[in-house]
Amino acid sequence: MSEKNEKTTSSEKLNSFIEKNRVCLFTVLGVLVVAVICYTIVLSVSSKSKEKALSQIDEITYVLTKDSAGLEDAELEAKRAVALEAVTPFLNKGGVAGVRANMLAADLAFQAKDFAKAFDYYAAAASKSKKSYTAPLAYYNMGVCAEQLGNAEDAIANYKKASDSEGFVLKSHALFSLGRAYESKNDNEKAAEAYNSIINGSPDDIWANVAKTRLLDMKAKGNIQ
């Protein structure tokens, strides 16, 4: 059989296959088109939903802070309660909206000195976006809450997470807090290690000077060599 005849035969077979299965093929193509359209719609709706959620959280924050200066404690507490109720529906959302909602709720709880709830809200914010810039801040604040609750172990764990986070702007402060937490457990060697990390890594930082003071005090008391 010549090459020309072979090509003709192959073409005829393909045409025959398409003719016999045209309904099936058109159905498959139709499904694919519908799937693409649905995916596009879902992305659009999701994006609009996220923008709406963020806008609503911004509005809650604005109402909370507007005209708050000079208010009595009872009035501020009432505003915080209203804001917390308003932000609650957004706490279980994923992505940026969920992070923002939980950070706001955590700040509200912290201001109310409810450190246990604040810790949980900060933890939720960190878990929803571990690679965002808010995660190390949430870890740091979890450390503060844990200290307030007298939980040195959790304080150490979270200050360490914060100080280990690349690019964290409060790294020196987190390291100093880590050193203090170790001191509270009489783990003086690790405390000194944290203080020296500040001095060696950021010698011009204000926390480096405070760390030097702590080291001198520890040496004077015979806690370290």
Side-chain angles (χ1 to χ4, degrees):
M1 185 180 293
S2 67
E3 183 179 346
K4 181 177 180 180
N5 289 336
E6 285 182 0
K7 288 183 179 179
T8 302
T9 302
S10 298
S11 177
E12 289 174 350
K13 287 180 179 179
L14 178 59
N15 289 334
S16 177
F17 174 80
I18 293 174
E19 180 65 24
K20 290 179 180 178
N21 297 279
R22 64 183 183 282
V23 175
C24 178
L25 290 172
F26 290 143
T27 301
V28 171
L29 287 173
V31 169
L32 288 174
V33 170
V34 171
V36 170
I37 292 172
C38 288
Y39 180 70
T40 303
I41 292 173
V42 167
L43 284 180
S44 176
V45 171
S46 176
S47 178
K48 289 179 180 177
S49 176
K50 182 175 73 173
E51 289 177 6
K52 182 179 179 181
L54 290 173
S55 177
Q56 289 173 306
I57 294 169
D58 285 340
E59 179 65 20
I60 294 167
T61 304
Y62 173 75
V63 172
L64 171 67
T65 55
K66 184 176 181 290
D67 301 326
S68 290
L71 292 181
E72 298 293 332
D73 288 344
E75 294 172 307
L76 287 171
E77 186 177 344
K79 289 195 79 170
R80 285 195 294 263
V82 171
L84 183 57
E85 183 179 358
V87 81
T88 296
F90 302 96
L91 296 177
N92 291 326
K93 286 187 173 293
V96 179
V99 172
R100 288 271 300 279
N102 278 280
M103 289 294 282
L104 175 57
D107 290 344
L108 291 168
F110 191 93
Q111 291 168 29
K113 300 188 186 305
D114 191 342
F115 301 114
K117 282 188 177 178
F119 183 96
D120 290 339
Y121 288 134
Y122 284 129
S127 69
K128 288 176 183 290
S129 187
K130 294 181 179 180
K131 293 184 179 180
S132 76
Y133 73 95
T134 56
L137 180 59
Y139 295 139
Y140 176 81
N141 288 335
M142 288 167 70
V144 175
C145 291
E147 271 200 284
Q148 292 292 333
L149 294 167
N151 189 333
E153 289 292 346
D154 278 352
I156 288 170
N158 285 287
Y159 285 141
K160 194 168 189 317
K161 282 183 182 179
S163 63
D164 286 344
S165 299
E166 188 176 349
F168 182 41
V169 293
L170 299 177
K171 181 182 179 73
S172 294
H173 196 171
L175 280 168
F176 183 81
S177 297
L178 178 62
R180 281 192 305 96
Y182 275 129
E183 276 197 80
S184 72
K185 291 194 65 188
N186 295 316
D187 195 340
N188 297 309
E189 292 301 322
K190 286 188 177 179
E193 184 180 329
Y195 294 141
N196 279 312
S197 291
I198 306 171
I199 297 166
N200 296 329
S202 305
D204 298 325
D205 194 293
I206 186 173
W207 291 105
N209 293 328
V210 185
K212 290 175 184 177
T213 302
R214 288 303 313 136
L215 288 171
L216 288 173
D217 183 65
M218 291 171 72
K219 286 179 180 178
K221 291 177 179 177
N223 292 332
I224 57 173
Q225 297 297 318

